[in-house]
Amino acid sequence: MRRTGASIGGVYLIDDSAPTAPMLRLVAISGLPVEFSRPWQRQPLNAPVPVADAIRDDRLVWVGGQEEMTRRYPRAAAALPYRFSLAAVPLSGVRRRWGGMVLMWPGDRPRDASPRERGHIVASAHRLARLLDDSPRPPVLPDEPRALTLETARQSGHTHLTAVDYLERLPEGAVALDLEGRITFVSTAAARLLGSPAERLLGARPWQALPWLDDPVYEDQYRTAVISRVPFSFDALRPPDQWLTFRLYPDSSGISVRITRRDEQRAADTAPVTAARPSAAPTGRLYQLVHLAAALAEAVTVRDLVALLADQILPAFGAQATVLSAADAGRLKITGHHGYPDDIIERLDGLPLDTDVTPAGHVLTSGIPAFFGSPEDLGRDHPRAPRLSDKQAWAFLPLVITGRPVGCCILSYDEPHAFTADERAVLTSLAGLIAQALDRARLYDTQHRLAHELQRALLPHTMPAVPGLSVAARYLPAGHGVDVSGDFYDLLRLDDTTVAAVIGDVEGHSIAAATLMGQVRTAVHAHATAGAPPDQVLACTNRLLVDLESDLLVACLYAHVDLTHGRLTLAGAGHVPPLLREGPGAGRVLDVEPGPLLGIGTDVRYPVTSAALPPGAILALYTDGLVERPGQDASRATSDLLRHFTAADDRDLEQLADGLVHHAWPTGQCTDDVTMLLLRAAQLPAQP
């Protein structure tokens, strides 16, 4: 930071021990309070932020200003609406990629970095990477980043008392804040202007110590000064009628604040100072918008989106009701609502886009939001609209994506409401996020419905009734959005005393996988009912897959069950072996000689394995999703599952199936599809 003149710096290291994927951990920071860094202390390595890009691409990433940040990294810009320049550079050592370094400069520096400056930044990163390479052991990643102080050179020759005497003689107020926003010095004139004793102010933050400064906009001025490091001023009203001008001068150690009466400042002070941003977003609104944006990004279905509107967006803006409409064939179809009775929704549903009943259609076609603070405002152009409900104020927000109308979102108020410029700006920005969320949610709902119908059509609706055989089946998709699982199971009645049980897993999660799964089920069914033995059932199915020239492979296990003689004949194609419970506390993993995956090639054979099926024994066929979990050994998980299987109460086969699934995935959040088929046989008398 000293070498490059940066005002803020931070070091991220890669945490490979994260449970799901490598994370970036902020381990050191300077020039910024640790509290400010909380949203960015942990970032996924694939996050859309400059430091992650720098590490992934192994290059210096330069962002010359807020406009460029907004264009290239909109999510990061939303959380950092300040003027600054930024560089992110990877820490690439000889042994490994260690992480990345971030440097930030005040907003008044040139937008572009010179080749010399870039060289200094890259050279500093190389030196830090070498230090990490030479460390005898990997660094310990702290829970919170270490805060480092960058010493600022001060003039010598002046005592503290002399400086205080100088400030006390001035008619204007002088206040010093540290980087955390706490008051470290306040002059007598400043205490008089602020209307509070100095001892009450010292150690406190201004917006906490003074009720009339308890507004997010003033805290945002402080944040702007800390991050942008650019002097500027703002005015605040001290009740009842005294306007004060605050002029902030930040550096790496804190902020010096000059306080004057506004009329005095206008008349006497002509020193050039960079002005504050014209309409600085209040801190509360800003972080509220960022929070809502993140929540909207997580809304999956239209129902999720309506719940988010009702639970978070309405309270955030003081509204009490909402209507969410989607553009569909020239009409506004209501997809969700809150706070309105059903009869009103029925009257509004399906209105044409050119309707004059409400402004919704005009707002959507024009793309311009409309705000009505009272029924009189709304009634001027739409006289019928105020009579539709007892609402007193409305915000009509067009939902448009790159010029394409998606729908309209209406926020309604029970009382008249004056929409401030800040509210209008934030709601207009929020409308774009709601539009994207609605478009995604409608697409998801449509695809999910189609996928669910396809999945339901491909899996067996019921199991055949076979005397002497009890069956329980489970199918749990892993929740891959709208992706369809390739897992399948089936039970085929071959005659009165023999059945064929089959379970399998097509590679991948897609419509193609589900389609291939249906073809495999059909092939197995055809060859099994034609009387083919287990090895030939798999061999013939394999030839079909090879002929189809599918890029997907299939794991499969086929079991021929002879209930009369209590015998199992099994053939496997790269599938996990089944479990056999022979009695309470007695069970084993069946050692099925494996064959190659289906579709892997021609002229392959599938070995056959035989085993006894004693009366009352339970055979468990399952896919690998039941025993393969991230970070765990599959063989150990299988042994653990077997212990639970043999010790569990088996009086109710359905409860046993549920218990096995819960034991494998206690939270219910499985990372792969889980399919299971349980068969319990009672030995039948021999046929004459």
Side-chain angles (χ1 to χ4, degrees), residues 468-480:
L469 185 70
S470 302
V471 182
R474 292 293 181 272
Y475 166 73
L476 288 85
H480 297 274

Side-chain angles (χ1 to χ4, degrees), residues 379-576:
R380 290 190 186 100
D381 294 325
H382 303 275
R384 288 186 289 171
R387 298 195 297 269
L388 290 173
S389 70
D390 58 356
K391 304 304 179 187
Q392 300 295 302
W394 300 263
F396 288 81
L397 306 176
L399 307 181
V400 180
I401 300 177
T402 61
R404 176 171 58 89
V406 174
C408 182
C409 179
I410 306 172
L411 303 186
S412 305
Y413 296 76
D414 290 342
E415 301 293 336
H417 182 84
F419 293 95
T420 65
D422 164 54
E423 279 184 308
R424 293 171 185 249
V426 173
L427 284 170
T428 301
S429 300
L430 193 63
L433 301 174
I434 295 174
Q436 295 181 34
L438 177 60
D439 201 40
R440 289 194 308 268
R442 292 184 68 201
L443 179 62
Y444 176 92
D445 284 346
T446 300
Q447 293 182 334
H448 187 267
R449 183 174 62 255
L450 293 174
H452 179 73
E453 291 174 356
L454 174 62
Q455 192 79 55
R456 186 173 57 183
L458 293 175
L459 289 174
H461 294 265
T462 58
M463 292 293 186
V466 180
L469 185 70
S470 302
V471 182
R474 292 293 181 272
Y475 166 73
L476 288 85
H480 297 274
V482 298
D483 288 341
V484 187
S485 166
D487 281 17
F488 65 94
Y489 65 89
D490 211 345
L491 184 68
L492 311 175
R493 177 170 177 165
L494 303 180
D495 58 38
D496 290 342
T497 61
T498 57
V499 296
V502 60
I503 195 165
D505 182 3
V506 180
E507 183 181 26
H509 296 84
S510 63
I511 297 294
T515 303
L516 187 63
M517 176 261 281
Q519 293 170 316
V520 171
R521 276 195 63 216
T522 301
V524 169
H525 191 284
H527 296 301
T529 54
D535 56 334
Q536 288 303 306
V537 170
L538 294 187
C540 293
T541 305
N542 174 68
R543 283 196 295 272
L544 172 66
L545 265 63
V546 173
D547 291 342
L548 291 174
E549 298 183 349
S550 172
D551 293 331
L552 304 177
L553 301 177
V554 181
C556 184
L557 182 66
Y558 180 92
H560 182 276
V561 183
D562 184 344
L563 297 173
T564 301
H565 301 94
R567 298 294 299 173
L568 289 172
T569 308
L570 305 104
H575 201 276
V576 291

Side-chain angles (χ1 to χ4, degrees), residues 23 62 75 105 236 254-255 266 282 311 326 335 345 382 395 420 432 460 513 517 529 577 586 627 640 642 657 669:
M23 298 285 291
W62 177 265
R75 278 175 51 186
W105 288 265
I255 303 172
R266 293 289 185 269
D311 297 339
T335 58
I345 296 302
H382 303 275
T420 65
M517 176 261 281
T529 54
V627 292
D640 181 58
L642 177 63
Q669 300 296 318

Side-chain angles (χ1 to χ4, degrees), residues 647-658:
D649 186 347
D650 68 339
R651 286 174 293 181
D652 188 319
L653 211 59
E654 297 290 341
Q655 290 185 6
L656 178 60
D658 290 335

Side-chain angles (χ1 to χ4, degrees), residues 99-118:
M101 179 171 63
V102 177
L103 298 173
M104 297 169 63
W105 288 265
D108 58 355
R109 66 148 286 138
R111 294 179 58 86
D112 296 323
S114 67
R116 183 180 181 85
E117 288 175 314
R118 292 173 181 260

